[in-house]
Amino acid sequence: MLNANFSPKAIRFIVEAIEYRIKAYQKQLETENLNEDEISDITNDMMFLESLSQELNKALSTIAPSIF
């Protein structure tokens, strides 16, 4: 559960930033010659960010249900 009192707009902004970071990590994995440790670190960070994004979206759906 999200403990901070963010507005729905703030949560959407944070989710968008997280998604942008995940895409940047994916591109990095595809285009850079990384060692196993770097790949592991990036993959772990991506999983953490995806988890955060899911929690934020869940919180958003309870405070600002979608119109569509």
Side-chain angles (χ1 to χ4, degrees):
M1 179 61 86
L2 188 65
N3 292 331
N5 292 321
F6 291 116
S7 70
K9 182 177 180 177
I11 294 173
R12 284 190 289 273
F13 183 83
I14 293 166
V15 168
E16 186 176 315
I18 289 171
E19 290 172 355
Y20 182 83
R21 183 67 247 170
I22 291 170
K23 288 177 185 176
Y25 277 146
Q26 289 170 333
K27 185 175 181 178
Q28 188 177 2
L29 288 171
E30 294 169 3
T31 61
E32 294 183 18
N33 186 18
L34 305 170
N35 66 43
E36 288 182 27
D37 288 337
E38 292 169 323
I39 292 170
S40 178
D41 288 344
I42 291 172
T43 303
N44 289 338
D45 289 349
M46 284 175 57
M47 290 189 313
F48 179 68
L49 289 174
E50 288 170 357
S51 173
L52 283 175
S53 179
Q54 290 172 0
E55 285 297 315
L56 288 167
N57 278 315
K58 191 184 323 178
L60 184 61
S61 70
T62 62
I63 61 172
S66 178
I67 298 172
F68 303 101

